[in-house]
Amino acid sequence: MLQAKFSVEETQAQFLNNFKRYGFKDKSAMLREAIALFKKKVELESLRKSADLYSEIYSEDDESKELTETALNRWPE
């Protein structure tokens, strides 16, 4: 596993020092989990923004709407 040196605020250090209270074996395990959760949050937000953009483009594009309707009409039930 790689090691990294970084700085945290006093309150963050105090929080990390309570790793056992939150069920982690050490501070590193707690920090890895926090990074993984943050990564998922950032990726989800990016996906939401992308979906919103596609929705906006679709709502303004009559040709795409027509293609979608044609495809839906031909879709087996």
Side-chain angles (χ1 to χ4, degrees):
M1 196 164 301
L2 299 175
Q3 292 188 353
K5 183 177 178 179
F6 54 90
S7 301
V8 296
E9 295 177 4
E10 180 67 28
T11 56
Q12 294 167 328
Q14 290 171 356
F15 181 73
L16 283 171
N17 284 332
N18 292 315
F19 62 90
K20 286 183 182 177
R21 181 186 303 170
Y22 300 105
F24 295 95
K25 69 176 187 164
D26 56 29
K27 294 176 198 175
S28 293
M30 186 173 171
L31 190 55
R32 283 191 299 272
E33 180 66 19
I35 291 170
L37 288 172
F38 181 71
K39 181 177 181 276
K40 285 181 184 179
K41 179 181 177 182
V42 168
E43 290 169 347
L44 183 59
E45 182 60 30
S46 176
L47 186 60
R48 282 189 183 128
K49 285 180 182 179
S50 176
D52 288 345
L53 180 58
Y54 276 110
S55 176
E56 182 181 334
I57 291 169
Y58 178 79
S59 70
E60 297 170 359
D61 186 354
D62 291 335
E63 186 177 342
S64 291
K65 290 178 186 177
E66 287 177 30
L67 287 170
T68 302
E69 278 299 316
T70 301
L72 286 174
N73 290 335
R74 294 181 185 169
W75 193 262
E77 292 185 27

